[in-house]
Amino acid sequence: MQYMLLCCIDEALWNGLSEDRREAVMDDYNALVREMVDSGHYRGGGKLQPSHTATTVRESSGEVVFTDGPYAETKEQLGGYHIVECADLDEALGIARRIPPLRVGGTVEVRPLDPSFKA
Amino acid sequence: MNLDRLYRTEYGRLLASLIRYCRDFDLAEDALHSAFEAALVQWRDNGPPDNPPGWLMTTARRRIMDRHRHNRMAETRHEEIAYLAGLDNDEPEVADSLRLIFTCCHPALAVPAQIALTLRTLCGLTTEEIARAFMVPVPTLAQRIVRAKAKIRDAGIPYQVPADRDLAERLDAVLAVIYLVFNEGYAARDGERLVRADLCEEAIRLGRLLVALMPDAREAHGLLALMLLHHSRRDVRTDDHGDLVLLEDQDRGRWDAAMIAEGTARVGAAMGDGAPGPYAIQAAIAALHAGSMRAEDTDWRRIAALYSLLMNALPTPVVALNRAVAVAMADGLERGLALLDDIHLPDYHHLPAARADLLRRLGRAEEAAVAYRDALDKVTHDAERRLLQRRLAEVTASPS
């Protein structure tokens, strides 16, 4: 089964950390991703640039509208995502709980992909 | 052949094995219910078989196979049929019940769903019975169960006993569910009957099952001991008017001696050699109460010491409150009162009630009255409200 790991964090909180701290977290993060690649779990993923770089697209009265900023007006914003292939939810949760930003207040959502959808 | 009794004792473990067999909660339930219905007719006509659970198992499995053949099958189903056909083991595996408990209590399910699913699958309670017990509309409860099963299927919650490194954590969740069921039975939500025996008995059944399946899990013993000791007092907790009878006023001759004996015996297993867990300690406290022939014989000093131990394992304001009360009884009312002053529990009526009680015993009637009124503002159970009202009347009637 494939799961998407959506990693969110309060950007103000993240930016408030010392550079050393952020670097240490990211080093561990990169190591974890390498581990997932080596183990064969990894199917892809990416680190997102901060939410202020986002542009949101909507339709309003039949017209397409572009807005500056992310779609959700929340303190916690998406920072990165990964897709992993796992035997079951426990395996996916076992990976998700190791994602380093959790240690500094981040959150990870684990959502199964719909197997009937194939690009 | 008492089919009802067979249902009560065998349903959970038969279902657990069928779920392992076909990996589908709904299919397993339907098949098992069909098997029981068939038994109702065939055993009446032909007499019961030599191995009733085995008969039910075989019948249910055959039913599952039939369903597979009739369904339109995707590729994976073909593989499943081959797998099913390959299994020739008729006996339910003991571990299957454990798989089922851990799956029902998986943290990916919301706790109310964990409770509903556990009672439905392991205890064989109907949706109506569970809804009634928790005072929730039947359709709500039904939806809760449907969603829980869907989550298990769609999110890939595995049907297995957790890996060793997750076991302690996951076991805590199972114990919490069982204890929630017990407490729901022990104190009705909106204050009618204070003890609903059915849920307490189901919780104890689950507790026994867990202890049988995981004999080395000390906290499982602790929880079972705690529930047995609480339940031993079920006949005297309320009087004929439905009013609350305090521990110190209960007729100890009507406590269930067999339950006390069993609970007390299990405390030893629960305490074990290393640092005891919270359920074990609470059970040890309950055992000290249960072992006192009269209220005045209670070993409050040991109880206070156990509460201090409990504070290490479970440093919550409620535990601090209980310790303060024990200290009051052991070392003097003023000492207990001083401890209560440091506790912050804004909506919990037991805190002002405890203060009120100590103040009343110290003869400080006016202060006691203030505290009783504070408690009355917060109390939720009718039986407890009436008790507080009686106390308030006592302290306002007597000259200060």
Side-chain angles (χ1 to χ4, degrees):
Chain A
M1 279 189 73
Q2 293 199 345
Y3 297 84
M4 180 172 270
L5 275 46
L6 296 123
C7 310
C8 308
I9 195 155
D10 180 339
E11 286 171 332
L13 205 120
W14 174 252
N15 293 326
L17 298 172
S18 70
E19 197 181 319
D20 282 347
R21 192 88 202 275
R22 278 181 273 140
E23 244 182 67
V25 170
M26 289 317 293
D27 284 345
D28 289 343
Y29 206 162
N30 292 327
L32 179 62
V33 173
R34 272 200 306 279
E35 213 189 289
M36 289 193 263
V37 170
D38 291 342
S39 66
H41 286 102
Y42 209 66
R43 289 292 174 277
K47 180 171 192 252
L48 299 179
Q49 294 195 38
S51 61
H52 66 80
T53 65
T55 312
T56 300
V57 185
R58 278 194 183 86
E59 270 204 24
S60 180
S61 318
E63 295 274 301
V64 174
V65 177
F66 301 106
T67 332
D68 175 29
Y71 82 98
E73 294 287 321
T74 52
K75 254 191 352 172
E76 287 192 317
Q77 290 291 336
L78 218 44
Y81 72 99
H82 312 283
I83 297 180
V84 291
E85 174 83 47
C86 295
D88 52 50
L89 183 62
D90 281 356
E91 200 174 24
L93 292 175
I95 293 172
R97 68 188 296 163
R98 295 175 57 201
I99 288 185
L102 285 171
R103 299 198 298 259
V104 292
T107 313
V108 179
E109 177 179 322
V110 178
R111 187 106 66 101
L113 266 54
D114 188 332
S116 66
F117 175 84
K118 290 171 186 14
Chain B
M1 164 59 44
N2 188 337
L3 208 54
D4 273 342
R5 162 103 57 75
L6 195 66
Y7 182 89
R8 294 290 285 147
T9 56
E10 299 296 324
Y11 181 85
R13 94 192 167 92
L14 287 171
L15 183 66
S17 287
L18 287 168
I19 293 173
R20 174 174 55 84
Y21 184 67
C22 68
R23 302 294 165 155
D24 184 329
F25 273 65
D26 284 331
L27 185 54
E29 275 183 355
D30 284 347
L32 188 52
H33 281 127
S34 295
F36 270 99
E37 279 166 21
L40 199 58
V41 174
Q42 290 180 39
W43 298 2
R44 184 193 58 207
D45 294 346
N46 309 327
D50 291 328
N51 178 3
W55 188 98
L56 289 163
M57 195 60 178
T58 307
T59 307
R61 282 155 65 126
R62 205 174 291 139
R63 176 87 182 178
I64 288 170
M65 289 292 281
D66 290 345
R67 282 277 219 95
H68 275 306
R69 279 191 212 105
H70 279 120
N71 288 345
R72 286 274 103 201
M73 291 169 289
E75 243 164 71
T76 47
R77 289 295 205 190
H78 281 292
E79 291 169 321
E80 268 186 61
I81 293 222
Y83 167 75
L84 293 177
L87 288 170
D88 54 20
N89 180 9
D90 274 333
E91 286 307 305
E93 261 184 50
V94 169
D96 287 338
S97 292
L98 209 51
R99 289 187 177 103
L100 186 54
I101 295 179
F102 277 107
T103 302
C104 290
C105 298
H106 196 285
L109 299 170
V111 170
Q114 293 177 25
I115 293 173
L117 204 57
T118 299
L119 288 173
R120 165 65 162 260
T121 56
L122 283 149
C123 303
L125 296 188
T126 64
T127 306
E128 290 74 24
E129 286 173 323
I130 302 168
R132 200 169 46 233
F134 284 85
M135 292 185 291
V136 157
V138 174
T140 306
L141 209 295
Q143 260 296 51
R144 192 174 288 174
I145 292 178
V146 164
R147 286 205 186 103
K149 290 177 187 171
K151 175 84 188 265
I152 291 171
R153 184 189 60 232
D154 296 335
I157 293 177
Y159 192 62
Q160 68 194 19
V161 177
D164 283 342
R165 62 158 189 273
D166 298 327
L167 197 57
E169 219 173 66
R170 295 284 303 277
L171 180 60
D172 278 347
V174 171
L175 295 172
V177 165
I178 296 175
Y179 199 35
L180 274 166
V181 171
F182 183 83
N183 279 315
E184 191 58 35
Y186 201 64
R189 194 94 48 73
D190 287 315
E192 322 127 357
R193 265 189 55 65
L194 203 62
V195 180
R196 268 183 274 142
D198 295 340
L199 283 181
C200 292
E201 260 134 48
E202 291 304 332
I204 288 172
R205 264 191 74 209
L206 287 167
R208 286 194 196 290
L209 178 63
L210 196 59
V211 162
L213 295 169
M214 297 184 72
D216 295 331
R218 287 189 293 147
E219 279 289 76
H221 289 271
L223 177 60
L224 179 56
L226 182 59
M227 293 191 295
L228 287 167
L229 291 163
H230 280 326
H231 205 48
S232 71
R233 302 198 292 268
R234 67 195 172 285
D235 287 340
V236 294
R237 270 196 87 213
T238 54
D239 65 18
D240 298 327
H241 308 291
D243 282 335
L244 207 56
V245 180
L246 294 178
L247 191 57
E248 67 219 41
D249 298 322
Q250 290 173 7
D251 175 1
R252 300 194 172 204
R254 289 179 58 204
W255 286 357
D256 185 328
M259 259 190 195
I260 290 174
E262 192 194 340
T264 308
R266 290 190 183 277
V267 168
M271 294 296 274
D273 287 328
Y279 290 118
I281 300 170
Q282 289 172 86
I285 292 168
L288 281 172
H289 282 296
S292 312
M293 292 305 296
R294 304 168 306 164
E296 29 305 10
D297 297 335
T298 308
D299 190 342
W300 285 107
R301 189 142 284 161
R302 271 180 81 192
I303 290 174
L306 282 168
Y307 271 118
S308 292
L309 195 60
L310 188 57
M311 277 297 281
N312 290 335
L314 209 59
T316 69
V318 173
V319 173
L321 167 53
N322 287 318
R323 182 177 63 164
V325 170
V327 167
M329 302 301 287
D331 294 337
L333 301 175
E334 261 109 357
R335 301 254 337 243
L337 207 49
L339 287 174
L340 286 178
D341 285 339
D342 287 332
I343 300 171
H344 183 65
L345 268 174
D347 296 317
Y348 196 53
H349 76 273
H350 288 293
L351 180 54
R355 292 197 73 240
D357 199 61
L358 295 181
L359 289 164
R360 177 178 58 87
R361 291 181 203 235
L362 283 167
R364 290 155 64 172
E366 272 173 26
E367 293 168 87
V370 170
Y372 278 125
R373 287 196 184 96
D374 187 4
L376 278 162
D377 273 341
K378 295 161 180 162
V379 74
T380 49
H381 293 105
D382 282 347
E384 297 194 45
R385 175 174 299 116
R386 287 196 295 272
L387 173 64
L388 290 170
Q389 280 163 345
R390 276 207 309 278
R391 292 285 196 224
L392 177 60
E394 278 174 36
V395 294
T396 49
S398 53
S400 36

